[in-house]
Amino acid sequence: MDRFIITGGTPLKGTVRIAGAKNATLPIMAASLLCPGTCQINEVPDLRDVRVMCEILQLMGAQVERGKGCCRIDARNVAACEVPENLMREMRSSIFIMGALLGRLGKVKVSYPGGCAIGPRPIDLHLKGLAALGAKITEKHGYVVAEGKELRGSDVHLDFPSVGATENIMMAAVCARGVTFIRNAAKEPEVVDLQNFLNKMGAKIRGAGTDTIKIEGVTDLYPSNHSVIPDRIEAGTFMVAAAMTQGDVYLENVIAEHTEPVAAKLREAGAEVETVGEGIHVTARRLQAVDIKTLPYPGYPTDMQPQTMAMLSIAEGTSVVIENIFVNRFKHVDELRRMGAQIKIEGRAAVIHGVERLSGACVEASDLRAGVALVLAGLVADGQTVVDHVYHIDRGYEGLEEKLKKLGAQIRRVQEAR
Ligand code: EPZ
């Protein structure tokens, strides 16, 4: 397995271009299965999860062509309705196949999706929503089968504004007879991007980005061409990296509104964060402690919690981080402690006493965002940090070490003997 070797102490300086959003790309690729034609998706990041999704689509019978930053998906001959267990376990987003295949074929069989180290990843809200549309759901031997040749519109109220459940129900409802309302829907920008892609195909969806989404079922869908929104979490990660290294970085290809929760917190911590043209400029001196509470969008994103904790480990003062979304998203804490961070966990809360300097150590990535948090900690630590299990990071960051090197970071990838 590859590892990163990082020597800390260099402030990041320069310009970095943010890639297309992983969490918009994956549901949109799945949604292309709804259309008996060829869809083109642009600004597709080159990530491990995107490659796994391509593999799943091909197994379902789609033709998938990857170009530089784009993906053409011809779903004319989609016929298979069972996603192999190994691929379901590999990636949570495989669950999006359910809504799309149910809408297209009226039947889908999946195993429970893999959870990562951030806690159990139940799908009860997804299944409740699909059942409300008239699908018959059977769960046995670790598999879930959803069947419904004639889905019908329904009023679905989500107990929690789940991003994945909102997107899955949306996709299935596109082909249902009649009107569907999703209430207490997730308001993330990636949900809006999926709505825009589906509407380009001929769907009739309104309200994504609010807590109520209305979907009028249609009978025909047409090939569409769509560019994915920039990745607000990659952008937030580089904004935090610029601030904690006391650097001076300009991020290109950013939708400022989507990164506002992070920008506001960085300003509160004493960084300068400015929208300049189509990008964001971040500079900072030593940061002050701030408190963070993760919430559904537009609250502080849970996907930025580990990175922010790395930043607060060297901020002046004591910070409190409360993780409200996932039950076990503190796996990075033990690794940060190995680098000298002073962090105490009390249930969903972490109390962080900022230290002057972290010290380089050998640490292990346990999931995508925990892994990148350790890279950021390595950028400011004294001496050398080795981050192991970099494949977690490759799931969601395209060319991370190249982008950091271009900003002056001393980082290199070491390929472990296979
Ligand atoms: C999406 O996951 C993202 N993944 C996650 O990003 C992100 O952390 C999460 O939304 C929250 O913003 C993709 O979009 C591919 P949820 P998802 O359903 O849809 C509970 C990353 O690092 N829940 O909004 O799985 C669940 O256990 C990843 O890029 C149920 O109880 O998130 C969690 O506590 C990590 N039952 C909470 O809701 C359900 O049926 C939020 O989950 C579904 C979810």
Side-chain angles (χ1 to χ4, degrees), residues 313-382:
S313 299
I314 54 164
E316 190 156 358
T318 298
S319 309
V320 177
V321 171
I322 300 181
E323 173 54 61
N324 289 310
I325 306 294
F326 289 105
V327 292
N328 184 18
R329 198 169 204 170
F330 284 148
K331 288 261 172 148
H332 44 289
V333 170
D334 278 345
E335 302 304 302
L336 288 171
R337 284 180 180 139
R338 291 165 72 94
M339 299 177 73
Q342 303 284 318
I343 306 173
K344 239 164 85 50
I345 302 287
E346 302 274 341
R348 280 183 176 265
V351 180
I352 302 124
H353 299 288
V355 294
E356 278 294 318
R357 299 282 292 182
L358 294 175
S359 58
C362 291
V363 289
E364 280 188 11
S366 51
D367 71 81
L368 164 64
R369 309 299 176 184
V372 81
L374 299 174
V375 172
L376 300 190
L379 295 177
V380 298
D382 268 340

Side-chain angles (χ1 to χ4, degrees), residues 48 59 99 173 214 316 372:
R48 198 161 142 253
L59 282 172
K214 177 183 177 185
E316 190 156 358
V372 81

Side-chain angles (χ1 to χ4, degrees), residues 22-24 26-27 49 91-93 95-96 116 118-127 160-167 186 188 190 231-233 295-297 301-303 324-327 329 348 367-369 395-396:
K22 164 179 88 82
N23 293 347
L26 295 169
D49 278 10
M91 181 178 71
R92 164 88 182 163
S93 325
I95 197 66
F96 295 129
C116 27
I118 58 179
R121 307 295 292 274
I123 58 170
D124 56 309
L125 300 177
H126 297 241
L127 301 182
F160 179 88
S162 153
V163 173
T166 301
E167 293 169 336
E188 273 70 3
E190 294 75 24
D231 193 317
R232 63 190 168 95
I233 304 299
L295 286 168
Y297 189 88
T302 175
D303 292 348
N324 289 310
I325 306 294
F326 289 105
V327 292
R329 198 169 204 170
R348 280 183 176 265
D367 71 81
L368 164 64
R369 309 299 176 184
R395 288 188 50 199

